[in-house]
Amino acid sequence: MIRPAATPPPLSASKFAYGRKAPAMRAADLPDICSVNVQDLFPDIPDPIHRAGEDTTPVRDAARRALAGVDMSKIQPDDSVNILCSEHGFSMMGGDAYATLIKTVRDEVVERTGATKVKLAMSSAASKFESAEIIPRHGLDEHFEGKTFNFGPYDPGIAIDTEIGRLYGIRKAYAAKWLIHVHYDDPREIHYHHVNGRLLKSFTMSYARMETRSIFHQNFPTRSANIVPRAIYESPYIQQRWGFSAALSTSPSGTMGVDADNDLIALDRRLGALILSRYGKMVQLFSTIDACFVVADDTRWLPYQHAGGLTACSLYENGEDHFDLDLPTHPPAHPDKGMFKAHIKGVVMNYAWKLASTADLTVAADANVGKDLLRIHPDKDIVVANDLAEAVQIAIDRSGTDKGIVFDGCYGAINMTRPMAEFLIAKAPEVARHVDEVLLPKWLRQRNLPTPVAA
């Protein structure tokens, strides 16, 4: 069913964004943008307990229930504790659910163990400055009584000896007697982890020095690279400091709940099965998109902006089934898709952090955004429009397609042009049948995972 455009999470000004200022208009405000609910496409996607802008009490209650089954007895009142988290979690549904989980973990640890030296250690992806906006936005400094710090991949390292050799973590991230890993099961960057150790990925992408992070990106074929974060997690250095992990559990419709465990491998297996069953159809639906333009209209970099609970990574890298572990690690170049991005015919940049992915055709929604785009991407064809409506029309005229999809942070629905909505609605039934009958059983069998009871 095609519906009026869904309301996306609100934006705020950010020094990391093109133009810095929040846009005057969102794509959802355009008369030609409509939406389709993900549960209209795939009715078996479950109902959420929380979406952006809603009360977070159900998330806090779910966290408490999950943490009730975690053993915290090793943590003593005088012990230091670092609660490790990753910046990307705050781009999901406005970040309120992830922030609530982090706060609840801190409260439960303090209440159950008497520990007072509990710090929040926030990782940033490429720098260590994102926390300057995130921590105040969610009141984390107040909640942790000033005990918060951030770190990035270029901070001083610490040697970690593993089964595959010496790797390097971030020294201050691990500078506590006990470590607690608070994460999320958003399947972003499927082409890196293939839902094969998804919850361990932070040990290279968030908590490691750039040299070790680069091993994950460059030195291994992507599937075998998953041994790197697992080797760090299973190293004596980490295990002697290991407390437990808690993870926000999601689906394309929103936040589903919280899971927690002292054993991260067990937790990863449970949530891995749920990722495949909850997100598999949406990922496969994105893989049917043969030509489109994209509207960037959310916080963070474009590859990590959400539409219907999926990041743009799933659209940009849709040339292969990244869930299928039988496919070659380095698939041959596709003759008409190049690096599997030729289907992206253009990008309308309404709001995104700088250095976001662009296309051969990139249209700035206004002069403010255009100024940064022209400066940062001099090699690209940048067109500066007077406003967002004109930018979308330019993308349609010059890209040769009227199928547009908006990455604006929405869970539960995808905002898009009507031709794209009609295209996805037509494709969904066959995608659902193929995933149910062929792909999901195969994906689970490849990982020796049982079919989830509550998918």
Side-chain angles (χ1 to χ4, degrees), residues 18 23 294-297 300-302 305 316 346-353 355-359 362-366 369-370 373 377 383 388 391:
Y18 293 109
V294 169
V295 181
D297 194 24
R300 307 309 191 270
W301 304 275
L302 172 55
Q305 295 184 349
Y316 271 67
V347 172
V348 174
M349 200 67 73
N350 194 43
Y351 197 71
W353 280 6
L355 300 180
S357 293
T358 58
T362 301
V363 187
D366 59 40
V369 173
L373 280 169
H377 305 286
V383 180
L388 179 59

Side-chain angles (χ1 to χ4, degrees), residues 57-364:
T57 299
V59 179
R60 184 172 64 250
D61 293 344
R64 286 173 173 165
R65 289 193 298 271
L67 292 167
V70 169
D71 182 5
M72 302 184 190
S73 61
K74 293 187 293 185
I75 303 174
Q76 299 302 305
D78 290 334
D79 290 347
S80 59
V81 180
N82 278 358
I83 296 178
L84 301 169
C85 72
S86 298
E87 172 269 327
H88 286 314
F90 297 97
S91 68
M92 299 164 57
M93 294 167 279
D96 294 328
Y98 189 49
T100 296
L101 171 57
I102 290 167
K103 292 175 182 178
T104 307
V105 168
R106 184 261 178 198
D107 293 345
E108 290 291 304
V109 170
V110 171
E111 180 179 342
R112 289 171 56 181
T113 71
T116 59
K117 302 173 185 176
V118 182
K119 295 182 179 181
L120 177 64
M122 182 181 295
S123 161
S124 295
S127 67
K128 55 178 181 177
F129 305 113
E130 292 90 339
S131 62
E133 294 180 356
I134 293 170
I135 287 178
R137 158 72 176 79
H138 296 285
L140 292 167
D141 203 49
E142 293 86 351
H143 198 88
F144 277 78
E145 300 176 344
K147 301 182 183 74
T148 65
F149 66 91
N150 60 311
F151 60 93
Y154 301 103
D155 281 338
I158 185 74
I160 301 175
D161 291 320
T162 75
E163 286 187 320
I164 61 172
R166 176 163 288 184
L167 301 170
Y168 289 88
I170 300 299
R171 181 183 299 274
K172 63 180 179 180
Y174 295 139
K177 184 168 184 179
W178 301 110
L179 305 173
I180 297 171
H181 171 53
V182 180
H183 206 45
Y184 40 85
D185 66 352
D186 176 298
R188 76 182 71 234
E189 290 184 330
I190 296 166
H191 54 293
Y192 281 131
H193 59 78
H194 305 275
V195 191
N196 183 19
R198 167 68 183 91
L199 295 189
L200 286 82
K201 182 167 170 275
S202 295
F203 288 93
T204 46
M205 290 301 295
S206 294
Y207 312 148
R209 276 277 306 180
M210 183 54 76
E211 296 90 339
T212 291
R213 175 174 167 175
S214 297
I215 291 174
F216 184 79
H217 269 146
Q218 305 295 339
N219 290 42
F220 285 89
T222 53
R223 291 194 185 108
S224 57
N226 289 302
I227 68 173
V228 179
R230 181 157 183 165
I232 295 174
Y233 165 69
E234 292 183 336
S235 69
Y237 180 85
I238 297 298
Q239 287 303 306
Q240 67 187 5
R241 292 166 172 78
W242 185 250
F244 63 88
S245 183
L248 196 69
S249 183
T250 66
S251 83
S253 62
T255 303
M256 300 307 304
V258 173
D259 200 352
D261 206 308
N262 295 95
D263 182 351
L264 181 55
I265 303 300
L267 179 61
D268 178 71
R269 286 178 57 78
R270 290 198 299 272
L271 291 186
L274 288 173
I275 290 172
L276 295 169
S277 62
R278 290 172 176 169
Y279 284 94
K281 291 176 182 176
M282 286 292 295
V283 172
Q284 288 297 305
L285 185 63
F286 273 29
S287 75
T288 67
I289 299 174
D290 54 352
C292 70
F293 67 91
V294 169
V295 181
D297 194 24
D298 192 14
T299 57
R300 307 309 191 270
W301 304 275
L302 172 55
Y304 303 142
Q305 295 184 349
H306 290 86
L310 279 186
T311 60
C313 287
S314 295
L315 177 63
Y316 271 67
E317 303 292 338
N318 77 353
E320 296 290 336
D321 178 5
H322 298 290
F323 290 158
D324 188 348
L325 302 185
D326 287 343
L327 292 178
T329 300
H330 286 307
H334 196 289
D336 60 2
K337 286 191 176 182
M339 293 300 293
F340 310 122
K341 298 177 181 65
H343 55 294
I344 309 295
K345 303 298 182 181
V347 172
V348 174
M349 200 67 73
N350 194 43
Y351 197 71
W353 280 6
K354 297 170 187 176
L355 300 180
S357 293
T358 58
D360 289 339
L361 169 64
T362 301
V363 187

